[in-house]
Amino acid sequence: MQKRQLGKSGLEVSAIGLGCMGMSYGYGPAADKNEMIALIHAAVERGVTFFDTAEVYGPYVNEELVGEALAPFKGEVVIATKFGIQLKDGKQVLDSKPETIRRSVEGSLKRLRVEAIDLYYQHRVDPDVPIEEVAGVIQDLMKEGKIRHWGLSEAGVQTIRRAHAVEPLTAVQSEYSLWWRSPEEELLPALEELGIGFVPFSPLGKGFLTGAIDRNATFAESDFRRIVPRFQPENLEANQGLVELIKRFAAEKQATPAQIALAWLLAQKPWIVPIPGTRKLERLEENLGALEVVLTAEELQRLNDALANIDIAGDRYPAGSDFAKRVSK
């Protein structure tokens, strides 16, 4: 398995990680727990050392799943989890007050069955708590040996700079894919300057870039994509041109569309580590196969030139929703 370092932190992980959220939350009913434990074990056997979860996934059940699955591999894997979103009266609320962070870290340590959290992200920036205060709490938790590295998820560049000045960040997590390229504008240059690693979630566009989703797709009541503008039938139809482009490149490289999408991401920077999620062994193996797909400079240029001529339809979050309001703060 190829390894990558997240920025200048010295934290080394497998070049592709595994996003575990969808195993129990966000994409329809939860999968069978024992099957997901077996899948996580299969990932470890194939060299994956980087696993992503969060307190709010479930809530709590995803951390419990990951903790149980990875208990036999202590010291061999890196587990990332997140704080800062609480569930109150069935609604997600941002809460990064110092006492909440301290309560969250204790709960996560217990559920993950670890003595220290390898990588602890603020899940979303809390506008009511200065980021310097959050960084100070994290600093204390690091001194106490409860956290090894920290990061931010979906944060804006100014917040990243302010946080990094107090306690250096190891990684920033945000959505990034052939379907969502806005991190290229400000985020990636800032991370390169500061020496911070980048962990793209939804690197396969929540499944769209695999080519398996068209305008006739239906989603379960509890599937997040049901409310996402990009997954409305008219936008799925309008964005098929992107999928067709990826399919053409895949045929040329004797790869799958998913592998091209991941290979493109990996080719952007050596400190980028995508975390595609899946519930299926064959998809896990397909995703890891992207590491064997090398896009030459000429191929990347051709792909990027073709992408420049494709307009993407639909937003990634519903306009005015809490989801939309919480990003890039």
Side-chain angles (χ1 to χ4, degrees):
M1 169 62 75
Q2 297 171 31
K3 297 285 181 70
R4 290 190 165 199
Q5 270 203 25
L6 288 172
K8 295 175 181 169
S9 66
L11 182 62
E12 188 179 73
V13 295
S14 53
I16 291 179
L18 181 61
C20 299
M21 179 187 85
M23 296 177 180
S24 45
Y25 171 85
Y27 290 97
D32 178 82
K33 181 178 153 186
N34 291 330
E35 286 178 15
M36 294 304 96
I37 288 173
L39 181 62
I40 291 171
H41 287 177
V44 175
E45 285 161 15
R46 285 154 179 79
V48 176
T49 64
F50 190 35
F51 296 84
D52 184 272
T53 181
E55 177 183 40
V56 78
Y57 297 163
Y60 312 128
V61 293
N62 197 247
E63 279 189 329
E64 288 167 357
L65 166 70
V66 171
E68 183 176 342
L70 294 175
F73 306 103
K74 278 200 172 78
E76 299 170 40
V77 297
V78 170
I79 302 175
T81 191
K82 310 177 195 77
F83 68 90
I85 300 180
Q86 298 290 310
L87 207 64
K88 293 181 183 170
D89 300 322
K91 187 173 164 49
Q92 288 188 4
V93 294
L94 300 181
D95 184 352
S96 283
K97 291 191 286 291
E99 61 271 25
T100 308
I101 298 174
R102 287 191 161 276
R103 201 165 54 242
S104 289
V105 82
E106 295 302 334
S108 291
L109 286 168
K110 195 171 173 183
R111 288 185 291 273
L112 293 171
R113 307 184 188 192
V114 294
E115 289 71 50
I117 294 168
D118 298 307
L119 176 55
Y120 203 35
Y121 294 103
Q122 184 186 35
H123 207 154
R124 292 291 186 273
V125 175
D126 184 346
D128 296 330
V129 183
I131 197 66
E132 291 82 0
E133 191 175 343
V134 173
V137 177
I138 293 295
Q139 207 166 48
D140 291 343
L141 290 167
M142 284 178 165
K143 286 173 188 161
E144 292 166 30
K146 292 177 178 178
I147 299 168
R148 294 194 176 99
H149 298 267
W150 87 297
L152 299 176
S153 179
E154 291 275 33
V157 167
Q158 294 314 312
T159 300
I160 291 166
R161 290 185 184 280
R162 287 166 52 201
H164 191 68
V166 178
E167 179 58 47
L169 294 157
T170 289
V172 166
Q173 183 178 110
S174 280
E175 185 167 349
Y176 182 41
S177 70
L178 284 164
W179 208 19
W180 179 257
R181 295 179 63 185
S182 76
E184 294 170 0
E185 294 160 23
E186 287 187 8
L187 183 59
L188 290 182
L191 297 183
E192 185 147 47
E193 176 201 330
L194 298 170
I196 301 170
F198 187 45
V199 179
F201 67 78
S202 298
L204 300 177
K206 299 179 172 62
F208 181 72
L209 300 178
T210 65
I213 296 173
D214 62 20
R215 68 169 294 122
N216 300 313
T218 55
F219 302 102
E221 199 68 44
S222 53
D223 191 317
F224 170 71
R225 291 172 292 187
R226 204 178 167 92
I227 64 164
V228 174
R230 289 197 167 185
F231 283 88
Q232 300 311 304
E234 64 277 12
N235 290 328
L236 288 173
E237 182 71 23
N239 290 322
Q240 285 302 317
L242 174 59
V243 173
E244 292 309 316
L245 170 64
I246 298 167
K247 283 180 176 175
R248 285 200 299 277
F249 267 81
E252 203 177 291
K253 297 290 285 185
Q254 296 182 306
T256 68
Q259 289 170 342
I260 294 297
L262 290 170
W264 177 85
L265 264 185
L266 290 162
Q268 301 308 306
K269 299 289 177 185
W271 36 267
I272 288 178
V273 180
I275 48 166
T278 186
R279 300 179 177 195
K280 296 175 181 166
L281 179 59
E282 63 267 30
R283 290 287 167 254
L284 171 70
E285 291 179 333
E286 177 185 350
N287 293 343
L288 296 180
L291 293 166
E292 307 304 317
V293 180
V294 178
L295 296 170
T296 66
E298 185 268 332
E299 287 167 338
L300 275 171
Q301 190 60 55
R302 273 200 299 126
L303 183 51
N304 287 334
D305 288 347
L307 287 168
N309 296 317
I310 292 176
D311 291 323
I312 304 298
D315 288 328
R316 67 179 182 130
Y317 291 125
S321 68
D322 284 346
F323 297 107
K325 290 174 187 169
R326 292 175 185 170
V327 300
S328 299
K329 297 297 183 194

